[in-house]
Structure formats: C-alpha cells, structure tokens
Amino acid sequence: MELHLLTLTIFCVLASAFPPDVLSALAAVEDLQLPNIDAALDLSKSRTNCGPTPCGGIFNAKEQYVPTTGKHAYASPAANQIRGPCPGLNAAANHGYLSRSGVTTLPETMTGLGDAYGMSPELSAFLAAYAIITNGSPLTGTWSIGGPPPSSGGLLGGLLGGSQGISYSHNIYEGDGSIARNDAYLNNGDAHSLNITRFASAYATGLANDRYTLDGFAQDLLSKIQESIATNPYYFAAPFSTTLVVPVAYNFVINLFSNHSAAEPNGYLDGEMFKTFFGVTGDYPNFTWLKGQERIPENWYRRPSSVPYGIPNGFLDVAINFQAYPGTFRLGGNTNGVNTYVGIDLSDLTGGVYHSSDLLDLKSSNAACFYAQFVQAVIPDAAATLLGELSAILNLVNKWIKPITGSVKCRVIGRYDQTLFNKFPGYKYKPKGQATNYRE
Ligand code: HEM
Ligand SMILES: *[C@@H]1O[C@H](CO)[C@@H](O)[C@H](O)[C@H]1NC(C)=O
Ligand SMILES: *[C@@H]1O[C@H](CO)[C@@H](O)[C@H](O)[C@H]1NC(C)=O
Ligand SMILES: *[C@@H]1O[C@H](CO)[C@@H](O)[C@H](O)[C@H]1NC(C)=O
C-alpha cells in the first residue's frame, strides 16, 4: 500500500511542553554526547523510579491512593470481555478504570489511566488516538485493548487491516523483543500471551534486593533484543512499534507500577507488585500466569498527578536507555534468517530530513517531530477511506497527535522510502485475530 504523508504544517517548541522538572534534567545532561557511554550509564543508574527527575518529594496519601473496592473492585474478565498484550490496560479494565468489556474510548482512556497510574492526559490520548486510527474504529471512536471486538466483523474502520485491536497490530503497535510476550512469528502470531520464561528473566533483574529499576530493565531489554535477533528470523524493528513502543513499555513498568510512600516518594517496585500487575503467581522461577487476571495491588499508591508520566518523560527515558545501552536502539531487522540483522539509517528513510541520532538526542525535539509525522504518514489517501472516516481521523490527528510537537517548527518529511523495508521478511508478516478471538 502506498502511504501518503499529510503535509500539515507543524509548529512546536518542545521546551514549553516539558514540565520544569524535566527541563532541569535536560539541563543537567547538557554535555552528554553519544560517545560518552560512561556518562550515559551513570545517568541511567542514577534514575529514580519516577524517571531521571525525582517526583519532587511529594507524597499525598489521599491523592495517590488507588481504590480497588466498590466500582473499582477486581473482577476477572467474563467470557465476552477482551484482554490483550498490555498489563497496564488489562489491570485497568479488571478494576473498571477502563470499560470491563475491553473496548474503550479516548476520553475514558485519558481519565482511567490518569486515575489508575498517573499517566499524563496527553500521553494517554496520543496512545489511544493512534490505536483508534490504526486498529480501532475511527467512526465510533472506540478501540480494543485485545483482539477484534465481537461487533466489528472486520467491517468498521481499522485502516491497517480491520478493527483488529492491539493484540493483532504487529509492526504497527505491537513489536518484537517485549518484556514477557513472545515475538509474534515465534508463537504463530500470538504476541499477546505471557511467556513465563521471559517474565522470569525480567524478574531476575531485581532478585538481589527485591527492587526493580529503570537501569535493570534497560539491561533486560538489551538481552531480549539480542535473543530475538538470535532466534527470530522475522525480527523486525519498525519505526514506531519495535523501535519505540517496546522500549517505552519497559520504562512504564518502573514509572507506573511503583508504589509510593512518604518514605519513598519516588516510588519503589518489589517482586510481589510486579507479579500482581502481570497476573503472575508462584515463586521465582516457578511462576504461573493467570491469563487475564492482571491486578492493581491492594493498598497501592500511584505517582502524584502533579508529576504525571508524560510524553517528554517517555522520550527522555528511552533516549537515556539508547545511549547507555546502544544495542537497545533498533531500526532494521533480520534479512535472511537469524543473526542477519541489518540496520536502516533514518536518513535514508526520510530523504535525509532526519537522522538516527535524532532519536537518541536527549535535548532536541527531533524525536517528537519525527514520530508525530511518522504516525500521520500511516494515514492513507482520502480516496481509500470510507466516507466520513477521514474527517474522524483528521480530527484525532489535529487534536491529539500534532500537538505532541508543541510549537517548534519541525523539519518536514516529504516522502518515506518504505521500499527500504522490503529486504526484511518480518516486515510483511501480518497475523490476524479470529472473529471468535474476543478474549485474545
Ligand atoms: C492507551 C494506552 C496504552 C496503549 C495503547 C498500550 C498499548 C500496548 C501495546 C500495543 C503493547 C504491546 C507492545 C509489545 O509488543 O510489547 C503494550 C505493552 C505493554 N504495556 Fe501498554 N499500552 C497503554 C498503556 C499502558 C500503561 C498505562 C501501562 C502501565 C501502567 C502499560 C504497560 C505496558 C507494559 C508493561 C507492556 C509490556 C508487556 C509485556 O511485554 O509483557 N501500558 N502496551
Ligand atoms: C518462552 O520464551 C523462551 C525464552 O525466550 C523460549 O525459549 C520459549 O520457546 C518460549 N516458550 C513458548 C511456549 O513460546
Ligand atoms: C511449582 O509450582 C506449582 C504450582 O504452584 C507446584 O505444584 C510445584 O510443586 C512447584 N514446583 C517447584 C519445583 O517448586
Ligand atoms: C505501598 O506503600 C505503603 C506505605 O509504605 C504500604 O503500606 C503498602 O503496603 C504498600 N503497598 C504495596 C502494594 O506493597
């Protein structure tokens, strides 16, 4: 499919989108250059569970307590309720912070993920908008946190292969090298079920003192990517899914699943909480996954709403990981069997407008500029879409995707050379869910 970039003029000053604490972190790392791996490692290891900048010593028990009773009581999903690859979304749905059906809307996502985890409204809205546009239903404004919804019948929306839900969004949303999910190709297209061996290796990073950190998880990301390249002939790091979403998810665990207290206002995550959020029981390494039973722990306190985890935090944590552990930055894939990884330079993909180093740069707005445009590039020609759908999509783009670049004047990409991807067999692999696959 030939994809067209909407040539919308984008203005941004990313600095104005950064909360002050993130700005001071950026100032602190001003001299950090790529070849200086020691400085990057120091910065990575110095991060608290609130990210590179502490949560400001704020702890307000009343504001941060997350209710798990009444309308937020835990319930396992019923047979017709959908769950998918994301423990954050599954747990939120199991506690009624998102519709228990597993089919949700953008406004509900913003409120629900803010209340449950302290994710910023801009970040939740961006993630939900992209889900609706690519794998949901732009006309009804809904998206599925798992497989195809019962009513979609593949007819409504879903620009990139029907309203498949995020479970079947391989290379679009879901990618290879996840914390605890198999690579799609290695598991007959199922990249949403948890693999207990993968969970155990992530768990091992915090065994020594029963504490999980951003730096420990960055190391786990590196080993999972190395394993994918060595075992998955279809390993493919597409520009958004595997390059960005997968690394971001590692940082979500630490930034969004940590418990906060007066003694530890930056939060801490122990093994018990990690298991609860992932629906896992047992003792290392003899774990069992309770499918669809991801939970928010009792008596748990999220990060403060005044220091939410937002888009700038997300980019910053990922860029620090890329610099501290350069093997975690991937744009490319295996070309001819395992261990045949070849990278693509972003410069070739964007006609020289962006460079791979732009995605690793802690200070610039280039990463946001690239991704905001890339996401718009997956929107096909007006002619190819259903009547009414294009305006729904443009509305989502204008309201929730374009603003991620603030008002800096981004360098505009004229055309993507997607033929560069043809040499990767994993690029064309697009597993789909069954019509009856509601829970998966
Ligand atoms: C609208 C919001 C969100 C969307 C659309 C979304 C989507 C996804 C998708 C598509 C994946 C699969 C990526 C992969 O291949 O690894 C994923 C994984 C993950 N997400 Fe989310 N997510 C959202 C919010 C959250 C939140 C709020 C949290 C935490 C509180 C979270 C934590 C995770 C984690 C830990 C994984 C990795 C799971 C594993 O590998 O076992 N996500 N998410
Ligand atoms: C689970 O993951 C391990 C380690 O990545 C892998 O060797 C194994 O084949 C996977 N198991 C299944 C059932 O896919
Ligand atoms: C592993 O856990 C299962 C279920 O909890 C239990 O039946 C089994 O005895 C355990 N095995 C080991 C080696 O601890
Ligand atoms: C969270 O921290 C508080 C204060 O230390 C503690 O009482 C509570 O048990 C912790 N919650 C979990 C789930 O560990």
Side-chain angles (χ1 to χ4, degrees), residues 180-182 186-187 194-199 201 224 227 231:
R181 268 69 192 173
N182 290 315
L186 295 181
N187 201 31
L194 185 137
N195 174 322
I196 215 69
T197 312
R198 298 180 73 91
F199 177 83
S201 62
K224 295 271 165 61
E227 182 185 327
T231 58

Side-chain angles (χ1 to χ4, degrees), residues 336-373:
N336 182 25
V338 300
N339 294 316
T340 58
Y341 178 86
V342 173
I344 308 177
D345 196 281
L346 199 57
S347 174
D348 294 331
L349 185 67
T350 61
V353 176
Y354 288 89
H355 302 273
S356 295
S357 58
D358 288 332
L359 306 186
L360 283 67
D361 185 344
L362 302 184
K363 288 181 297 161
S364 84
S365 53
N366 291 334
C369 280
F370 167 73
Y371 284 115
Q373 292 184 65

Side-chain angles (χ1 to χ4, degrees), residues 27-308:
V29 295
E30 201 167 353
D31 297 326
L32 182 58
Q33 294 302 323
L34 260 181
N36 192 344
I37 292 204
D38 286 341
L41 281 169
D42 283 349
L43 181 64
S44 175
K45 291 181 196 303
S46 72
R47 285 179 288 180
T48 71
N49 282 24
C50 264
T53 51
C55 273
I58 304 162
F59 180 71
N60 177 337
K62 194 164 182 282
E63 197 274 320
Q64 292 171 243
Y65 174 71
V66 176
T68 53
T69 57
K71 68 175 177 169
H72 293 304
Y74 171 82
S76 297
N80 62 348
Q81 296 178 332
I82 301 171
R83 300 293 180 263
C86 177
L89 298 170
N90 291 353
N94 288 341
H95 286 275
Y97 284 96
L98 296 176
S99 295
R100 292 179 189 266
S101 67
V103 177
T104 182
T105 63
L106 187 146
E108 184 183 77
T109 308
M110 284 170 79
T111 311
L113 299 184
D115 289 351
Y117 303 116
M119 180 178 269
S120 85
E122 297 79 17
L123 178 53
S124 311
F126 167 75
L127 293 173
Y130 184 69
I132 292 169
I133 293 169
T134 56
N135 294 95
S137 167
L139 283 176
T140 60
T142 57
W143 62 285
S144 159
I145 69 169
S151 59
S152 79
L155 292 174
L156 271 185
L159 290 171
L160 302 169
S163 188
Q164 290 287 309
I166 61 171
S167 286
Y168 294 93
S169 61
H170 185 59
N171 289 341
I172 300 301
Y173 227 138
E174 183 283 314
D176 296 334
S178 308
I179 302 166
R181 268 69 192 173
N182 290 315
D183 287 3
Y185 181 72
L186 295 181
N187 201 31
N188 301 313
D190 174 353
H192 50 81
S193 296
L194 185 137
N195 174 322
I196 215 69
T197 312
R198 298 180 73 91
F199 177 83
S201 62
Y203 194 90
T205 67
L207 268 182
N209 55 356
D210 198 22
R211 284 290 185 274
Y212 292 85
T213 62
L214 286 165
D215 187 69
F217 262 43
Q219 295 180 38
D220 188 55
L221 169 61
L222 180 61
S223 58
K224 295 271 165 61
I225 290 173
Q226 287 165 342
E227 182 185 327
S228 284
I229 292 172
T231 58
N232 180 3
Y234 276 35
Y235 175 77
F236 175 54
F240 185 66
S241 54
T242 303
T243 300
L244 186 65
V245 176
V246 167
V248 162
Y250 282 74
N251 302 330
F252 278 4
V253 172
I254 308 300
N255 279 285
L256 296 168
F257 289 157
S258 287
N259 185 30
H260 297 74
S261 65
E264 299 203 57
N266 297 320
Y268 67 96
L269 181 70
D270 64 20
E272 210 45 52
M273 293 177 229
F274 182 21
K275 286 190 292 182
T276 304
F277 276 113
F278 271 69
V280 169
T281 57
D283 295 314
Y284 179 85
N286 184 19
F287 291 126
T288 306
W289 179 48
L290 306 173
K291 183 178 179 179
Q293 298 178 44
E294 294 84 359
R295 303 178 75 126
I296 297 173
E298 306 290 314
N299 199 17
W300 179 80
Y301 299 80
R302 59 158 166 71
R303 57 191 293 139
S305 314
S306 55
V307 193

